[in-house]
Amino acid sequence: MTAEVDGDFVVFLIGMRINKWWKLHKWLPIAATMGPMMRELIRRKELGLLHFTSWAGPRGTLMVQYWRSVEHLEDFAKDARLPHHPAWKRWNKLVGSSGDVGVWHETYVVQNGTFEVLYGNMPPFGLAEAGRAVPLTRATRGAAGRRANNADQAAA
């Protein structure tokens, strides 16, 4: 399988790193802030989140989010009426620059047709859930073919 997405989109990676395990009172409340944010984004499709997937490891968390646009992402982050704003204020009050817990994010704006994906023996996942899962064809069996197909879709 591969995936198709109409138009530009954003891949947003966000995570938390536990630097001091023994300071549960610092990192546990920070970890708990993601739930309300995601529930709001799932409930309100107009905010622009297309899909997300998350993982937890021994030192922290990683979430991959797909957004309709960078404007949607930034509007969500800045709007004081939405859950990100109070979570960020809480982070600054509880952790700040103490070094007890780390947070990070990376934002990638993907222009229409400039991506390729492959899923082998997988249910719909990642970008295929943010957009559409489509079967591979003879033309899309290789990465170059998938990129060309996405570029063709963008030009159409």
Side-chain angles (χ1 to χ4, degrees):
M1 297 296 283
T2 187
E4 292 179 349
V5 177
D6 297 326
D8 296 352
F9 62 95
V10 172
V11 178
F12 182 66
L13 308 177
I14 185 166
M16 177 189 80
R17 183 176 192 279
I18 301 167
N19 295 325
K20 297 178 182 171
W21 274 104
W22 59 94
K23 294 200 175 184
L24 273 83
H25 66 287
K26 296 282 185 108
W27 62 262
L28 202 52
I30 300 307
T33 63
M34 192 56 77
M37 283 189 264
M38 298 316 297
R39 282 190 292 279
E40 183 79 359
L41 288 165
I42 291 164
R43 188 176 67 79
R44 297 186 51 200
K45 295 291 185 194
E46 75 275 9
L47 294 175
L49 182 73
L50 301 173
H51 182 69
F52 74 95
T53 304
S54 58
W55 294 270
R59 296 288 293 207
T61 62
L62 164 66
M63 181 177 288
V64 179
Q65 299 177 354
Y66 301 93
W67 289 76
R68 176 61 356 212
S69 71
V70 73
E71 291 80 16
H72 280 101
L73 174 60
E74 291 177 353
D75 288 348
F76 176 75
K78 293 176 186 176
D79 192 328
R81 298 166 298 174
L82 296 173
H84 177 268
H85 197 267
W88 187 242
K89 285 176 74 172
R90 185 173 189 190
W91 156 267
N92 283 309
K93 182 178 180 183
L94 189 63
V95 178
S97 61
S98 71
D100 297 335
V101 184
V103 293
W104 61 273
H105 67 77
E106 300 175 2
T107 306
Y108 302 94
V109 179
V110 181
Q111 293 184 340
N112 194 5
T114 61
F115 66 94
E116 74 84 19
V117 297
L118 171 71
Y119 306 100
N121 301 323
M122 292 287 295
F125 178 82
L127 195 57
E129 285 201 284
R132 292 175 302 285
V134 294
L136 291 175
T137 65
R138 173 173 271 172
T140 60
R141 288 223 179 261
R146 290 188 295 277
R147 283 191 304 277
N149 184 67
N150 290 331
D152 290 345
Q153 294 286 335

